[in-house]
Amino acid sequence: MEQETGHDPNLDTLLDHRYQLRREIARGGHGVVFEAEHVISHARVAVKTLTGNALHVPAAHARLLREARVLGVLRHQNVISVRDAGTCPIHGPYLALEMIEGRPLDGILLTRQRLSPGQAVAVTLQLCEALAEVHRHGIVHRDVKPSNVLIAQSANSDRVVLIDFGIAKINSEEDPSVSKLTKAGELLGTVEYMAPEQIMERGVIDERADIYAAGVMLYECLTGEVPYSGAATAVITNMLAGTKPAALNARRSDVPLAFEGVVRRALELAPHKRFAKITELARACRSALGGSVPQLDLLDARGRGNERVASPAQNSQPVVEVVDTTVSAPARRRQYERAPYITPVRVRMGTTATDGRTEDLSEGGLLMVTEAACADGERVTLRLPLPMSGRVVELDATTKWIKTRKNQRAIGAEFIDAPEDVRKEIRAYVALMTDKSAVAPEHGE
């Protein structure tokens, strides 16, 4: 019986008498996201709620419900949509968001290291579409970064979806719950993607802060590195000193020269020197590519061809050539079809356990992002929930390949003698996700 308030939700919780929580998708310092099912309509949603100490912080409650109000005015295919919001007597405030089948861009960049210019522009243009809708309503996102950009699976091409409006700013209001600094003095946001005026709290924070962050992401997609890296103090020091980021060609010689001016203007330290509107950045990206923009294709490494722009000679026009630039896994035919699947995973090696998240899944293995210090060919035990039932299982696996960036690792793992019931459930999930005409079965079937 529901009598108390302030409890962390968990699997099998019935949230607000409306949403049955099925499996965990992601967990952060103050919040957790679950896949859930509405008890009457059986609609699948992603439920975002508070956890830990945040359950007892009024400002955190206000911020989450304010995010619902912000999302309530936005209607765009490239912006996450809110389906419902409320406050549960036991588990506090929550948002019910559209359920996105896809992968975060940060995991894709970790796996591939960087994107072809065509794919980088395809991502940036859809991000610009999302931000144009956000800015049209007088909202500044203030936390644009790869982990807040989902690449969603669709029938013909992939789709960018901008998420997490928890620290968004509405220009027409002053709201202490979304101030840049918390009471503990911590920055709200990720410093590598924050405009100087956000970090230093100088001047007006407007849409040009999001344009700066979009410029950082374009730079990262093209080169595999952010303009300013290192500890937060190093990033801030470089900004205060007016240090310019390394030229694109200094980091990747095959990036077309035309992108240099685009990135330089987006990353101007003074807001008035940047593009004034996000649509201007989009036009500049199209022009720099020098050809038609390809369909976005980041989730299917074996499917539609990826293109890159060959490094042109100085003052020449870029030449588009179709090549396979996928670096997400060794070049070989996959035995099993896979599908995007985001859920927490615990990686155990002997007596050591490290948490991470899965990125995609097949009955033969999975791709995960973790800080676990694995080596190629190492035997590990993986603990994760299954995609259809939410049942938590432990599976033995062998690491097949590893890519490292900073402290993060993208690891391809192959299951060792996975039980047939597990393989069957994964097989059903992959078939469902790769057949867009299929109707999702009810849990438990």
Side-chain angles (χ1 to χ4, degrees):
M1 179 176 293
E2 298 186 352
Q3 294 178 340
E4 300 180 60
T5 61
H7 289 182
D8 280 16
N10 50 42
L11 297 182
D12 295 325
T13 288
L14 182 60
L15 186 72
D16 200 18
H17 306 285
R18 298 160 67 85
Y19 295 101
Q20 190 72 52
L21 304 187
R22 295 299 187 185
R23 68 172 177 89
E24 190 174 314
I25 298 174
R27 183 178 291 266
H30 302 292
V32 59
V33 180
F34 292 94
E35 179 186 344
E37 183 179 289
H38 194 281
V39 294
I40 296 175
S41 70
H42 300 293
R44 293 169 64 241
V45 294
V47 168
K48 180 178 181 179
T49 188
L50 300 176
T51 188
N53 293 333
L55 280 167
H56 309 286
V57 179
H61 286 229
R63 192 179 300 127
L64 188 65
L65 294 179
R66 185 177 176 281
E67 183 176 0
R69 294 194 294 273
V70 169
L71 288 173
V73 303
L74 301 176
R75 298 286 188 276
H76 197 277
Q77 66 174 357
N78 297 121
V79 178
I80 191 80
S81 64
V82 62
R83 304 295 170 82
D84 193 8
T87 300
C88 176
I90 291 181
H91 306 295
Y94 66 89
L95 305 183
L97 305 165
E98 69 171 308
M99 184 68 189
I100 300 293
E101 304 294 352
R103 292 174 57 190
L105 182 59
D106 65 331
I108 292 173
L109 288 174
L110 174 60
T111 305
R112 295 192 176 206
Q113 304 295 297
R114 62 178 181 136
L115 306 182
S116 68
Q119 291 297 294
V121 170
V123 168
T124 303
L125 292 184
Q126 290 196 37
L127 176 62
C128 289
E129 289 282 344
L131 289 173
E133 166 73 2
V134 171
H135 297 163
R136 185 171 69 85
H137 290 276
I139 298 167
V140 184
H141 187 281
R142 301 205 305 175
D143 201 17
V144 175
K145 57 187 178 182
S147 60
N148 284 339
V149 171
L150 296 182
I151 306 299
Q153 191 173 30
S154 60
N156 298 317
S157 65
D158 299 334
R159 173 171 61 105
V160 165
V161 181
L162 181 62
I163 66 171
D164 201 343
F165 286 72
I167 61 171
K169 174 180 179 289
I170 300 176
N171 287 334
S172 61
E173 73 177 35
E174 293 294 330
D175 190 334
S177 73
V178 292
S179 66
K180 180 176 70 69
L181 296 177
T182 66
K183 290 182 179 179
E186 295 178 316
L187 284 170
L188 286 181
T190 303
V191 69
E192 292 94 334
Y193 303 92
M194 293 173 69
E197 62 269 25
Q198 284 180 271
I199 294 174
M200 298 175 228
E201 210 173 17
R202 293 179 183 172
V204 175
I205 308 299
D206 59 21
E207 60 196 81
R208 293 170 297 182
D210 288 343
I211 292 171
Y212 179 92
V216 175
M217 284 183 52
L218 175 60
Y219 187 107
E220 184 176 12
C221 286
L222 290 168
T223 68
E225 302 178 58
V226 291
Y228 302 105
S229 60
T233 52
V235 173
I236 295 170
T237 299
N238 281 320
M239 285 184 174
L240 289 173
T243 305
K244 298 291 185 183
L248 296 173
N249 284 129
R251 290 186 163 174
R252 296 289 182 179
S253 60
D254 60 344
V255 175
L257 295 176
F259 283 98
E260 188 64 45
V262 179
V263 169
R264 288 290 177 193
R265 186 170 178 190
L267 296 181
E268 286 285 356
L269 297 181
H272 70 275
K273 293 184 178 180
R274 294 177 209 143
F275 297 103
K277 298 289 182 181
I278 196 69
T279 51
E280 295 178 11
L281 173 59
R283 283 195 295 270
C285 286
R286 285 183 181 273
S287 177
L289 186 60
S292 60
V293 179
Q295 287 186 327
L296 183 59
D297 180 15
L298 298 180
L299 297 180
D300 184 6
R302 294 180 300 165
R304 300 172 292 274
N306 296 318
E307 56 291 305
R308 65 174 170 84
V309 180
S311 181
Q314 185 134 4
N315 299 324
S316 68
Q317 293 296 316
V319 178
V320 178
E321 59 179 3
V322 177
V323 295
D324 183 6
T325 59
T326 300
V327 295
S328 60
R332 60 173 183 165
R333 185 177 181 84
R334 290 185 175 87
Q335 182 178 0
Y336 303 106
E337 195 167 14
R338 61 185 176 138
Y341 180 58
I342 307 299
T343 198
V345 60
R346 175 156 292 181
V347 185
R348 192 171 72 243
M349 300 168 291
T351 59
T352 302
T354 307
D355 290 331
R357 73 169 188 258
T358 64
E359 290 272 313
D360 64 32
L361 181 68
S362 78
E363 63 174 295
L366 56 76
L367 167 63
M368 59 185 171
V369 173
T370 178
E371 294 184 2
C374 301
D376 285 338
E378 186 163 357
R379 183 165 178 149
V380 297
T381 299
L382 308 176
R383 180 180 173 85
L384 70 156
L386 293 176
M388 305 290 281
S389 65
R391 177 167 63 98
V392 177
V393 295
E394 289 195 350
L395 302 172
D396 291 329
T398 302
T399 59
K400 305 301 290 186
W401 56 267
I402 299 173
K403 292 183 180 292
T404 302
R405 182 181 178 195
K406 297 182 180 178
N407 295 326
Q408 292 288 317
R409 291 173 177 83
I411 301 174
E414 183 176 280
F415 297 143
I416 301 172
D417 298 327
E420 180 54 32
D421 63 326
V422 171
R423 296 171 67 97
K424 181 179 179 180
E425 181 168 340
I426 295 173
R427 205 158 48 232
Y429 169 78
V430 172
L432 179 67
M433 292 300 102
T434 53
D435 179 5
K436 295 304 172 183
S437 64
V439 178
E442 294 185 8
H443 288 279
E445 286 192 357

